[in-house]
């Protein structure tokens, strides 16, 4: 006997509401970021500041990230089909993974240019650089504030949020570099701060590449240990054995599980409901597929396939 346990209607409605809010927030941040990216790029050319150009380069990755995130979340809302039984839920995870890789590429390009500038220090229009960087800081603070709540619920939004945070730190770095040049004449501060910006971008990429990669590889979500789930299921009255346990993430918010239970209980429905209750209450797994089998029909021991 088998059955499926799914999220409640309230959960689905709430999840849909979160997606609508995420789409709206991403669009707002996308527009203001794209506008200031252009301003910062030309500002970097005018002032000859690598730090500003590096920051605008990262803003370009922000725009790409936000656009990709927006499209991915919109795509996820498409209904499942006979050949795509999970719908397009993995689209946002793929987008998040691509965003993380984009951060790595951007950081490498910044490192290369900053290294060259260390040996060929060029004059910078520091005062204009400071003003432009301050504008970028304000834009990034607004963007981070708008995306903050969504990043707790959605891995793809978290990727966009990390882009914005890294860029916010980059704007701070550009301001510091501008002050060092304006007040102390330290033009070398520009490539040095650019190195720091590149490092921040690289570090931020790890926070999105690792979890998205784990989901794409269908690894068990962090914090969920198969051994503990097996022990909890074996403690259910009537359960003799647990085998063929699989745990994976459909997306950042939805964990799925399938398992076979060997039971000598007369009423399989009771065992099924108890197992579902254990999974939901102890492990917050709302989507499960459970197969109940009698001892006579199965001689397997607890294994992982």
């Amino acid at each position: 006997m088998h059955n499926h346990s799914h999220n409640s209607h309230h959960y689905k409605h709430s999840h849909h509401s979160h997606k609508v809010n995420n789409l709206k927030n991403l669009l707002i941040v996308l527009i203001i970021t794209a506008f200031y990216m252009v301003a910062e790029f030309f500002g970097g050319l005018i002032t000859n500041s690598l730090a500003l150009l590096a920051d605008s380069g990262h803003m370009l990755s922000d725009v790409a990230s936000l656009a990709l995130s927006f499209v991915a979340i919109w795509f996820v809302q498409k209904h499942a089909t006979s050949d795509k039984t999970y719908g397009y839920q993995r689209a946002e995870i793929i987008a998040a993974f691509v965003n993380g890789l984009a951060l790595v590429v951007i950081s490498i390009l910044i490192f290369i240019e900053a290294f060259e500038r260390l040996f060929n220090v060029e004059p910078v229009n520091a005062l204009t650089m400071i003003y432009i960087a301050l504008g970028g800081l304000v834009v990034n603070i607004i963007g981070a504030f708008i995306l903050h709540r969504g990043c707790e619920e959605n891995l793809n939004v978290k990727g966009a949020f990390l882009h914005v945070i890294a860029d916010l730190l980059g704007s701070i770095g550009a301001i510091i570099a501008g002050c060092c040049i304006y007040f102390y004449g330290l033009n070398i501060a520009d490539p040095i701060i650019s190195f720091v910006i590149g490092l921040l971008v690289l570090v931020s990429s790890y926070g999105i590449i690792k979890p998205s990669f784990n989901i794409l590889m269908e690894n068990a979500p962090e914090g969920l240990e198969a051994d503990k789930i097996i022990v909890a299921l074996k403690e259910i009255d009537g359960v003799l054995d647990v085998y063929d346990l699989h745990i994976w993430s459909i997306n950042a918010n939805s964990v799925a599980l399938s398992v076979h239970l060997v039971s000598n209980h007369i009423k399989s429905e009771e065992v099924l409901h108890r197992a579902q209750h254990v999974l939901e209450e102890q492990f917050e797994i709302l989507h499960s597929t459970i197969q109940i089998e009698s001892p006579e029909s199965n001689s397997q021991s607890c294994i992982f396939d």
Side-chain angles (χ1 to χ4, degrees):
M1 179 176 203
H2 70 276
N3 199 7
H4 303 275
S5 173
H6 301 283
N7 301 355
S8 66
H9 175 73
H10 172 74
Y11 174 83
K12 289 179 179 178
H13 176 75
S14 175
H15 192 54
H16 175 73
S17 177
H18 287 155
K19 284 183 178 179
V20 171
N21 288 333
N22 287 337
L23 279 171
K24 181 180 69 175
N25 293 340
L26 282 168
L27 183 60
I28 293 170
V29 178
L30 172 60
I31 292 171
I32 61 175
T33 303
F35 175 79
Y36 209 82
M37 173 199 72
V38 175
E40 195 166 49
F41 173 74
F42 284 106
L45 292 178
I46 293 169
T47 61
N48 196 34
S49 168
L50 175 59
L52 279 185
L53 288 173
D55 205 31
S56 68
H58 184 231
M59 270 192 157
L60 176 61
S61 76
D62 285 349
V63 171
S65 166
L66 291 163
L68 199 56
S69 298
F70 181 86
V71 172
I73 293 176
W74 172 79
F75 218 65
V76 166
Q77 297 182 73
K78 297 182 69 174
H79 295 296
T81 63
S82 59
D83 63 329
K84 296 180 178 63
T85 55
Y86 278 126
Y88 294 84
Q89 296 188 57
R90 284 286 172 88
E92 58 183 326
I93 304 304
I94 295 171
F97 185 69
V98 171
N99 289 341
L101 294 180
L103 283 170
V104 174
V105 173
I106 291 292
S107 65
I108 292 172
L109 294 175
I110 292 172
F111 288 145
I112 293 172
E113 183 63 25
F115 183 77
E116 291 178 357
R117 284 229 182 175
L118 279 176
F119 300 97
N120 298 283
V121 179
E122 299 180 12
V124 176
N125 186 334
L127 192 58
T128 304
M129 173 185 174
I130 293 170
Y131 289 144
I132 295 172
L134 281 170
L137 178 62
V138 172
V139 168
N140 286 311
I141 289 174
I142 293 171
F145 180 78
I146 292 173
L147 294 178
H148 179 259
R149 173 169 291 188
C151 79
E152 297 173 356
E153 306 153 354
N154 185 289
L155 183 59
N156 202 31
V157 176
K158 181 182 178 181
F161 174 77
L162 287 174
H163 272 268
V164 173
I165 288 296
D167 203 45
L168 185 152
L169 295 173
S171 295
I172 293 174
I175 292 169
I176 293 173
C179 289
C180 289
I181 296 168
Y182 184 75
F183 292 107
Y184 305 104
L186 298 174
N187 285 302
I188 198 172
D190 188 52
I192 290 175
I193 291 296
S194 299
F195 267 117
V196 175
I197 294 172
L199 186 60
L200 291 172
V201 173
L202 190 61
V203 170
S204 69
S205 69
Y206 180 77
I208 191 64
I209 290 176
K210 182 183 176 182
S212 58
F213 179 77
N214 285 338
I215 291 174
L216 291 173
M217 291 298 293
E218 297 195 343
N219 295 343
E222 288 189 22
L224 279 180
E225 297 181 21
D227 291 341
K228 290 183 179 179
I229 294 176
I230 290 171
V231 170
L233 291 174
K234 280 188 173 182
E235 289 177 351
I236 297 172
D237 184 36
V239 173
L240 301 177
D241 203 359
V242 179
Y243 76 96
D244 203 13
L245 174 68
H246 299 277
I247 319 165
W248 69 98
S249 294
I250 301 169
N251 55 37
N253 304 303
S254 182
V255 177
L257 174 146
S258 67
V259 67
H260 288 233
L261 303 181
V262 181
S263 172
N264 61 0
H265 201 286
I266 297 174
K267 297 182 178 179
S268 297
E269 283 286 347
E270 287 187 16
V271 176
L272 178 64
H273 291 150
R274 289 172 188 170
Q276 290 173 346
H277 180 76
V278 166
L279 292 173
E280 291 180 9
E281 294 299 316
Q282 295 187 29
F283 303 99
E284 298 183 356
I285 298 175
L286 304 175
H287 187 120
S288 59
T289 302
I290 302 170
Q291 177 81 28
I292 307 293
E293 300 174 359
S294 65
E296 294 77 17
S297 65
N298 188 283
S299 60
Q300 300 250 21
S301 59
C302 179
I303 59 172
F304 300 93
D305 290 342

